[in-house]
Amino acid sequence: MFSGIIADIGTIAKAEDRNGGLRLSVSTKALGIEDVQLGDSIAVNGVCLTVIEKKGEMFTVDVSRETLNCTVGLETQGARVNLEKALRLADRLGGHLVSGHVDGVGEVVAFTDIGESWKLVARAPQALAKYIAVKGSITING
C-alpha cells in the first residue's frame, strides 16, 4: 500500500526487454533506498513494482507485459518517473491508501489553473468507470 504522495523523481537508467516485459533500473537521489530490501515494493509512476536488485542509488524491477499494457511511460530509458516507497504499518498516513495495482489508462482532458490550485479533469476507460467512487481516490501517474 502507498499514500500516493511522491517522495522523489527518479530516472529510468536502463530499460531492457525481458520475455515480453521489461527489466528497469531506476536511479534515485532523494528516495533513500538504504532501508529497502529485495522483495520490497516501490511505486514507479504509481505502479507497484518489486525490487529484485539494488546498488547504491539504483534499484531494479521487472515489469510484466500485463502491467505495460495498462500503463504509460515506463518503457523509455532516460524518462523521469515518480517514486514512493511502500507504507509501513507504523507510518503516518499523509495522503490516501492506494494499492499501486493499475487497471487502465485514462486521459487528462483538462488541466486548469484555479488560483492556488489546479483542476484536473480525467476521462476513465468506460469499462473501469463503474468502479470509481464519487469521492474515491485515483492515482494519476503516481
Side-chain angles (χ1 to χ4, degrees), residues 128-139:
L128 295 177
K130 63 184 175 186
Y131 300 111
I132 298 172
V134 173
K135 294 194 178 190
S137 300
I138 298 174
T139 62

Side-chain angles (χ1 to χ4, degrees), residues 73-120:
L74 295 178
E75 306 87 359
T76 308
Q77 190 166 312
R80 294 172 50 99
V81 289
N82 297 323
L83 302 174
E84 179 192 356
K85 290 191 285 188
L87 291 170
R88 295 174 291 198
L89 288 177
D91 287 344
R92 182 171 294 219
L93 184 61
H96 305 277
L97 286 177
V98 294
S99 69
H101 297 184
V102 179
D103 295 308
V105 176
E107 176 186 6
V108 174
V109 294
F111 194 58
T112 310
D113 182 350
I114 56 172
E116 293 184 23
S117 297
W118 290 84
K119 178 180 179 181
L120 185 142

